[in-house]
């Protein structure tokens, strides 16, 4: 490993690899290029017959991959420019232009997917068998066959989404990303972004924690009616399109099918999690003692138990993460380092920049881009490991096509959470002080809460909310249902206060990608189980793990995991993940 890694510092990413700017000739050329390719693609319409020879068929699929590659670049440039500054008008208008452009070309090329879904089983098998790496992509399109509308209807849905649900989500982002939160700290009123408010929410000062949460939901609550209405519109649109027109059996099945995970497996995951909420109740009671209160307030969930809130220089964080990856497998560390060395990491905090963190994998040949808001807390170090884990996952699968290198959602959180586990492992290994070890275990339980219990209860809320909206529930009724959801989630272990009724309108995921959230729980529990295997098997586990990641999205998640001996329909498998957590709480209770 290069010795220079300690010199990494917080900075903005460089999108130059995609395009040099909004008025770059290459950007315009990309639009023109796609236009040309799509026009030529339209010419193949007549060749599409069920008995088409495999050579011609593959040429057509390859041509559509080429177009997808360019579109992905343009889309990513627009999306990433918008994320780095959501108030940038050039980025906003490029985003609008790209969305409109993509909807139009989707419409012009729609005939291929529609034809493909219609091909008889025998010929479809013949063509898929000859399609190599494209096979699973082609198979996946056919999964949607029973839910597909006529070409004319599909076109209307596509066009209407641009100015409908997608515009609504962009508006939600634009409104909520410009919120300013006022917090008095040491006698001075600070104006903060949501990312800057976060350290106070998770900080050591109990009064500040409460006031930061109150301010967060005061601001969201002030727009609560509008944001609630946006959610209702999103849920209605979801219902109208997917249940009414496409005839899916439930709002959540839509996501399950695009994840290619059986409804049965997701329901088992949700049920097993509900049954295990008691593990977290035990944990919160323990944490109350640690924090020195009789009963934990909702404000104190993420309270640090450590005496000092140590800040980490970014260079130090980068070193720890890269070293922990390399210790597991040198190649993994090298891949992560590429993200730094190519300036694909936007880590600094800026006003107007999108909050939170994400990793964007564009095409197999591009090193992924990572966005985060680094403020120097231990949690940010974990986020760095998490997002770089995503990047590694995409890079390990870069030998697949543009259509198949992306892992599907349920496996998408595997490398990221495993990355966090590797970091924790390193911290535990280097730490001899019992008190600090306890802190690390506490932090792991905090994270397990945030990724498992919390996300599953979001999914349960979404399931309920979509149903309620259908029955014309008001925003206040949804808020009341959300409070009930929290009561069940925390049992008698945590004291809730009134303003948390607005938490749901502050969760971008439930607007952006309904039912996305269970993928986090899926990923985390899966990783606990994989980690157990790693501990038990040592070196021989590594190739199996790398194989899971390298598969990307070239096969159904259920199949990829079955090869590693995992049955996602079995309650026992999911329970295994909770047993790991239960043992952690046991250990904490002993300490
Ligand atoms: Zn993630």
């Amino acid at each position: 490993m290069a010795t220079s890694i300690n010199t990494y510092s917080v900075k903005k990413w460089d999108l130059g690899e995609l395009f040099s700017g909004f008025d770059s000739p290459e950007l315009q050329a990309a639009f023109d290029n796609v236009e040309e390719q799509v026009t030529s693609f339209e010419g193949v319409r007549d060749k599409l017959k069920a008995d088409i020879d495999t050579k011609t068929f593959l040429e057509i699929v390859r041509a559509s991959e080429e177009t997808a590659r360019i579109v992905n670049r343009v889309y990513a440039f627009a999306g990433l420019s918008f994320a780095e500054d959501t108030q940038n008008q050039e980025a906003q208008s490029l985003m609008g232009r790209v969305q409109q452009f993509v909807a139009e070309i989707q419409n012009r090329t729609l005939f291929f997917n529609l034809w493909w879904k219609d091909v008889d089983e025998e010929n479809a098998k013949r063509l898929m068998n000859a399609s190599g790496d494209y096979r699973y992509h082609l198979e996946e399109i056919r999964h949607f066959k029973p839910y597909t509308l006529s070409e004319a209807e599909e076109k209307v849905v596509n066009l209407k989404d641009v100015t409908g649900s997608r515009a609504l989500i962009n508006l939600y982002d634009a409104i909520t990303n410009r919120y300013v939160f006022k917090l008095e700290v040491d006698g001075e009123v600070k104006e903060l972004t949501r990312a800057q408010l976060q350290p106070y929410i998770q900080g050591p000062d109990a009064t500040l924690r409460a006031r930061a949460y109150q301010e967060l939901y005061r601001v969201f609550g002030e727009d609560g009616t509008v944001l609630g209405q946006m959610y209702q519109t999103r849920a209605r649109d979801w219902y109208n399109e997917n249940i009414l027109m496409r005839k899916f059996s439930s709002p959540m099945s839509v996501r399950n099918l695009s994840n290619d995970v059986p409804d049965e497996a997701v329901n088992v995951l949700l049920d097993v999690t509900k049954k295990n909420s008691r593990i977290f109740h035990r944990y919160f009671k323990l944490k109350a003692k640690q924090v020195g209160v009789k009963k934990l307030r909702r404000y104190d969930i993420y309270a640090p138990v450590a005496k000092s809130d140590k800040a980490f220089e970014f260079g130090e964080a980068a070193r720890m993460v890269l070293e922990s990856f390399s210790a597991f497998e040198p190649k993994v560390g090298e891949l992560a380092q590429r993200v730094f060395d190519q300036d694909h990491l936007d880590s600094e905090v800026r006003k107007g920049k999108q909050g939170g963190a994400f990793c964007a994998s564009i095409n197999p040949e591009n090193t992924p881009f990572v966005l985060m808001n680094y403020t120097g807390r231990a949690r940010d170090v974990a986020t760095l490991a998490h997002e770089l884990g995503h990047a590694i996952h995409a890079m390990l699968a870069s030998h697949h096509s543009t259509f198949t290198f992306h892992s599907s959602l349920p496996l998408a959180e595997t490398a990221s959470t495993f990355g966090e586990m590797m970091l924790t492992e390193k911290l535990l290994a280097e730490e001899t002080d019992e008190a600090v070890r306890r802190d690390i275990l506490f932090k792991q339980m905090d994270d397990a809460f945030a990724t498992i219990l919390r996300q599953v209860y979001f999914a349960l809320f979404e399931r309920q909310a979509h149903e309620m909206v259908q029955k014309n529930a008001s925003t206040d009724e949804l808020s009341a249902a959300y409070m009930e959801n929290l009561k069940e989630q925390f049992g008698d272990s945590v004291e809730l206060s009134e303003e948390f009724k607005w938490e749901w309108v502050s969760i971008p995921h439930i607007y952006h990608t309904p039912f996305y959230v269970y993928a986090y729980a899926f990923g985390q529990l899966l990783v606990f189980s994989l980690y157990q295997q790693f501990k038990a098997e040592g070196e021989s586990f590594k190739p199996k793990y790398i194989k899971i990641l390298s598969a990307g999205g070239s096969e159904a998640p259920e199949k990829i995991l079955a090869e590693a001996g995992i049955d996602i329909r079995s309650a026992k498998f999911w329970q295994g993940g909770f047993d790991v957590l239960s043992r952690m709480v046991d250990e904490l209770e002993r300490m």
Side-chain angles (χ1 to χ4, degrees):
M1 172 117 1
T3 48
S4 62
I5 53 174
N6 240 331
T7 63
Y8 290 129
S9 56
V10 169
K11 62 203 286 202
K12 197 173 162 178
W13 57 27
D14 180 3
L15 299 179
E17 179 187 308
L18 299 173
F19 294 101
S20 58
F22 295 107
D23 47 12
S24 93
E26 287 80 14
L27 183 57
Q28 186 50 48
F31 278 103
D32 296 343
N33 210 344
V34 170
E35 175 63 40
E36 243 169 68
Q37 290 185 11
V38 169
T39 305
S40 117
F41 191 81
E42 284 172 314
V44 307
R45 206 185 247 266
D46 296 336
K47 293 188 195 163
L48 298 178
K49 307 265 156 47
D51 62 357
I52 186 171
D53 65 278
T54 53
K55 186 171 165 276
T56 313
F57 178 73
L58 265 183
E59 273 166 15
I60 295 171
V61 178
R62 255 186 229 119
S64 77
E65 189 196 6
E66 198 36 51
T67 309
R69 274 203 148 82
I70 306 175
V71 169
N72 289 349
R73 275 171 81 97
V74 176
Y75 215 121
F77 181 67
L80 299 181
S81 301
F82 181 69
E84 72 175 26
D85 181 7
T86 59
Q87 310 301 313
N88 179 338
Q89 295 194 9
E90 272 184 312
Q92 281 172 357
S93 66
L94 180 62
M95 192 73 175
R97 179 183 174 195
V98 172
Q99 284 176 352
Q100 176 73 30
F101 181 73
V102 168
E104 280 169 16
I105 60 164
Q106 270 175 353
N107 274 354
R108 286 167 59 193
T109 55
L110 199 56
F111 65 89
F112 177 81
N113 280 10
L114 293 174
W115 165 78
W116 172 242
K117 278 184 243 188
D118 241 12
V119 171
D120 62 277
E121 209 49 47
E122 197 182 321
N123 273 309
K125 271 216 178 101
R126 173 179 64 85
L127 294 167
M128 284 193 284
N129 286 339
S131 294
D133 198 55
Y134 296 121
R135 187 195 48 78
Y136 181 61
H137 166 64
L138 293 166
E139 193 181 300
E140 268 222 295
I141 298 172
R142 285 174 65 86
H143 286 167
F144 286 87
K145 185 174 173 166
Y147 311 104
T148 302
L149 311 172
S150 72
E151 183 170 356
E153 288 169 318
E154 291 290 350
K155 283 182 172 174
V156 174
V157 171
N158 270 345
L159 280 183
K160 283 295 179 188
D161 273 353
V162 175
T163 49
S165 62
R166 226 163 300 152
L168 185 79
I169 293 160
N170 287 347
L171 211 52
Y172 171 85
D173 287 345
I175 291 175
T176 53
N177 279 319
R178 64 188 284 181
Y179 284 159
V180 175
F181 304 92
K182 291 187 182 135
L183 191 66
E184 195 185 314
V185 185
D186 301 330
E188 182 204 340
V189 178
K190 294 193 173 196
E191 296 203 346
L192 306 166
T193 65
R194 190 177 187 174
Q196 289 166 329
L197 191 66
Q198 208 60 26
Y200 297 103
I201 277 176
Q202 296 167 345
D205 182 327
T207 316
L208 264 184
R209 268 201 308 271
R211 290 211 334 260
Y213 265 119
Q214 286 155 2
E215 173 66 2
L216 175 65
Y217 298 128
R218 180 192 67 78
V219 173
F220 273 93
E222 252 174 24
D223 275 348
T225 309
V226 178
L227 301 177
Q229 201 177 4
M230 288 177 143
Y231 184 78
Q232 288 165 323
T233 307
R234 180 74 169 123
R236 268 188 210 286
D237 181 71
W238 193 259
Y239 180 88
N240 288 343
E241 178 183 332
N242 294 305
I243 309 292
L244 224 50
M245 294 181 68
R246 300 190 188 277
K247 313 289 181 199
F248 276 94
S249 61
S250 76
M252 201 185 284
S253 313
V254 184
R255 178 70 50 215
N256 297 348
L257 187 72
S258 59
N259 289 343
D260 198 7
V261 168
D263 286 350
E264 187 194 339
V266 177
N267 290 335
V268 170
L269 163 68
L270 299 182
D271 287 346
V272 173
T273 306
K274 265 171 100 166
K275 282 195 192 109
N276 283 281
S277 60
R278 252 187 49 80
I279 297 174
F280 291 94
H281 302 168
R282 267 171 65 208
Y283 171 67
F284 290 135
K285 285 175 183 168
L286 195 70
K287 185 157 181 173
K289 271 191 224 153
Q290 197 65 26
V291 178
V293 292
K294 248 176 104 184
K295 189 175 182 180
L296 211 61
R297 304 170 304 169
R298 174 61 188 78
Y299 307 129
D300 306 322
I301 292 285
Y302 300 115
V305 293
K307 290 284 170 283
S308 72
D309 195 11
K310 188 181 163 193
F312 294 86
E313 287 293 332
F314 185 76
E316 173 68 2
R319 184 191 63 78
M320 287 193 295
V321 171
L322 291 174
E323 280 182 7
S324 70
F325 286 5
S326 298
F328 176 78
E329 178 71 53
K331 185 182 170 192
V332 170
E334 278 162 31
L335 290 174
Q337 199 175 336
R338 230 187 260 172
V339 179
F340 289 91
D341 292 345
Q342 296 182 6
D343 265 339
H344 281 210
L345 176 65
D346 192 328
S347 49
E348 77 180 359
V349 176
R350 296 184 306 272
K351 195 172 169 193
K353 175 177 163 180
Q354 189 169 318
F358 66 76
C359 170
S361 336
I362 302 160
N363 283 316
E365 65 273 20
N366 298 107
T367 298
F369 284 86
V370 168
L371 176 143
M372 68 171 300
N373 290 269
Y374 191 83
T375 56
R377 300 162 306 150
R379 206 166 284 280
D380 293 330
V381 187
T383 300
L384 183 62
H386 181 103
E387 299 306 333
L388 288 173
H390 280 304
I392 289 160
H393 198 165
M395 287 188 272
L396 280 173
S398 66
H399 54 292
H400 294 292
S401 74
T402 291
F403 296 138
T404 49
F405 87 110
H406 257 140
S407 82
S408 67
L409 275 183
L411 289 182
E413 296 299 337
T414 313
S416 54
T417 21
F418 204 87
E420 287 188 60
M421 294 285 277
M422 289 192 264
L423 177 70
T424 305
E425 177 91 336
K426 179 178 169 63
L427 295 176
L428 280 173
E430 286 176 2
E431 197 52 69
T432 48
D433 185 343
E434 172 93 338
V436 181
R437 294 177 63 84
R438 191 187 51 207
D439 288 352
I440 294 171
L441 278 176
F442 264 106
K443 202 191 149 291
Q444 249 194 332
M445 279 306 297
D446 281 351
D447 290 349
F449 160 73
T451 44
I452 300 172
L453 194 70
R454 180 170 158 83
Q455 305 302 331
V456 161
Y457 272 87
F458 280 148
L460 292 168
F461 172 71
E462 284 187 276
R463 190 156 76 177
Q464 186 185 4
H466 276 252
E467 228 168 77
M468 288 176 69
V469 168
Q470 218 32 58
K471 292 178 184 148
N472 306 307
S474 67
T475 296
D476 283 345
E477 284 165 333
L478 290 167
S479 288
Y482 187 72
M483 282 305 269
E484 286 309 309
N485 172 290
L486 289 180
K487 278 179 196 155
E488 189 188 319
Q489 184 179 162
F490 292 109
D492 64 350
S493 65
V494 170
E495 183 134 346
L496 293 164
S497 32
E498 183 63 16
E499 68 274 12
F500 282 90
K501 71 179 183 189
W502 289 121
E503 183 177 21
W504 63 284
V505 301
S506 80
I507 308 298
H509 271 325
I510 70 172
Y511 287 81
H512 285 217
T513 323
F515 305 103
Y516 176 90
V517 289
Y518 75 71
Y520 285 112
F522 193 112
Q524 178 80 62
L525 285 167
L526 174 68
V527 166
F528 278 135
S529 151
L530 289 174
Y531 213 74
Q532 284 299 100
Q533 286 190 32
F534 171 42
K535 294 281 108 180
E537 298 168 16
E539 284 299 312
S540 68
F541 165 84
K542 291 178 182 175
K544 207 158 70 176
Y545 174 69
I546 300 284
K547 194 176 164 203
I548 291 176
L549 299 189
S550 305
S554 63
E555 193 48 271
E558 193 175 17
K559 245 186 179 162
I560 293 174
L561 293 172
E563 278 190 30
I566 292 164
D567 174 11
I568 58 171
R569 295 178 196 240
S570 119
K572 207 176 133 214
F573 161 67
W574 297 111
Q575 187 58 47
F578 285 106
D579 293 345
V580 175
L581 287 171
S582 188
R583 281 198 293 275
M584 275 190 222
V585 179
D586 291 344
E587 196 180 335
L588 278 170
E589 280 171 345
R590 262 199 312 274
M591 279 173 164

